[in-house]
Amino acid sequence: MIKREAYMSRIRPFIGDELIKVLTGIRRSGKSVMLELIQNELTAQGVLSSQFIKLNFEDMRNVRLCTAEALHREISQRISSIKGKAYLFFDEIQEVIGWEKCVNSFRVEFDCDIYITGSNAKLLSGELATYLAGRYVEFIIYPFSFGEFLDLYTSIFPKGGKQEAFTRYLTLGGMPYLGNLRYEETPSQIYLQDLFNSIVLKDIVKRNKVREADLLERIIAYIFGSVGTTFSAGSISKYFKSENRVAAPETIMNYINYCLDAFLLYQVRRQDLQGKKLLAINEKYYVADHGIREAVFGGNMKEINLILENIVYMELLRRGYKVTVGKAGSQEIDFICEKKREKLYVQVAYLLASEETIRREFGVYESIRDNFPKYVLSLDEFDMSREGIKHFNIREFLLMSDFN
């Protein structure tokens, strides 16, 4: 079990606190394991396992508890026999109808510490979530970073180095369960295909009552194939029209939003650096796990420049940065990253193989006069830093403890 200290260090200050700890993220990204790690931490602090109440609402044995009233009765009964503080762990809480009411009631009624997980970004944005306003703290759990992947990979293959691990990471991605399959290609791809189908069926089609599942899959395929490129719902609609398929931009945007809510995709807005404003059209989209893209769509190594960009983007999210795409005149900067008072710029390329490529990748920073860090990342092994702009090998950048 990878300790996932990057998340534990953020969660740890809230352990034992009255705030409800909410762990969200794409299905199978490791939220349940995070609950186990929290339980291990509590046990190390002297909390007895008899003080834990654990329920997974995707377990058929708990179907009877999937209403607020039934869950409240069950927990009230169980908690009455616990001496001292109770620790409540609810996995995939969105399966419980009206869960916000009973969770808030537990917080008010009992001496308890509450942890919940869910696979939907709208978990805390509904009308009922007003019950919890200001009373929770949220942590998004992502698939493995390259650093976490490397730790697990080298524990399975002690002779495997960073380069070998990164090559495997490019095609398999960071879903934690793949370690159980020893990162074998065929079983891993079958698992990822099944995971994708589960996300589409349970977290998108079923939850949002999608009527045109075929259209949804076409939209996802289009976005998977266009990772890191700018487009709009209107441009997808025109593309479908050329394929003799009619789909209104509004419907396409709704379906994209369902994918965002399920954490399958991430949308990145564009920012005009000269006008200092967000642009309203032509966003970019990235996939939560590039291994799912390979298993479903294929072509990760063929389109490695897009996949490297996807990997870097997800790493920036893991580090807590708010990320936009920068537009400076006719040029575009891959990522503008902001966090509290920190800011940095990141440009991603596959290889800086020619002087023209080097001029293009470094030249995008010419109009930016501030002193925040500016990076050009590629798979080149030699340092090509120049004029205050730092160049790093992407593998090494992903393993850095601090980007600023």
Side-chain angles (χ1 to χ4, degrees), residues 222-239:
Y222 183 96
I223 296 175
F224 275 19
S226 307
V227 159
T229 58
T230 54
F231 58 85
S232 66
S235 60
I236 300 179
S237 179
K238 288 177 184 176
Y239 170 76

Side-chain angles (χ1 to χ4, degrees), residues 60-258:
M60 284 297 292
R61 290 171 294 183
N62 294 324
V63 168
R64 64 186 177 83
L65 302 177
C66 286
T67 65
E69 295 78 10
L71 180 59
H72 188 270
R73 281 194 302 271
E74 177 77 11
I75 297 303
S76 298
Q77 185 179 348
R78 289 205 206 180
I79 216 167
S80 62
S81 62
I82 292 176
K83 293 180 180 178
K85 186 186 284 287
Y87 296 84
L88 310 181
F89 300 91
F90 300 140
D91 214 350
E92 299 296 349
I93 191 71
Q94 75 272 354
E95 300 299 325
V96 178
I97 299 167
W99 65 269
E100 298 96 331
K101 283 184 178 180
C102 67
V103 167
N104 188 51
S105 183
F106 299 150
R107 187 189 64 80
V108 173
E109 288 181 67
F110 306 117
D111 179 15
C112 62
D113 188 15
I114 305 172
Y115 302 82
I116 63 177
T117 78
S119 302
N120 192 279
K122 291 285 178 65
L123 192 69
L124 293 158
S125 63
E127 187 178 337
L128 280 174
T130 56
Y131 285 98
L132 304 180
R135 300 182 180 109
Y136 68 86
V137 57
E138 183 179 10
F139 307 93
I140 300 176
I141 310 300
Y142 300 97
F144 278 168
S145 66
F146 175 56
E148 292 172 320
F149 180 96
L150 180 64
D151 286 346
L152 186 55
Y153 187 85
T154 52
S155 74
I156 298 169
F157 306 104
K159 294 181 180 179
K162 277 190 285 190
Q163 194 158 349
E164 177 188 314
F166 191 69
T167 301
R168 196 65 67 93
Y169 186 64
L170 283 170
T171 54
L172 296 184
M175 280 299 170
Y177 187 79
L178 298 186
N180 293 4
L181 303 174
R182 296 183 62 81
Y183 296 112
E184 291 184 28
E185 187 171 339
T186 300
S188 295
Q189 291 208 338
I190 291 170
Y191 171 78
L192 290 171
Q193 286 168 355
D194 288 345
L195 173 59
F196 171 77
N197 292 335
S198 179
I199 292 166
V200 170
L201 181 62
K202 292 183 179 179
D203 299 326
I204 302 176
V205 173
K206 184 180 174 185
R207 174 160 295 279
N208 299 288
K209 299 179 175 61
V210 170
R211 286 183 247 176
E212 297 181 88
D214 175 61
L215 176 61
L216 172 67
E217 292 196 15
R218 284 171 180 262
I219 292 168
I220 293 171
Y222 183 96
I223 296 175
F224 275 19
S226 307
V227 159
T229 58
T230 54
F231 58 85
S232 66
S235 60
I236 300 179
S237 179
K238 288 177 184 176
Y239 170 76
F240 285 161
K241 190 174 182 180
S242 72
E243 299 279 307
N244 297 315
R245 176 75 190 251
V246 178
E250 294 78 11
T251 302
I252 291 170
M253 201 64 241
N254 285 338
Y255 283 12
I256 290 174
N257 284 332
Y258 298 156

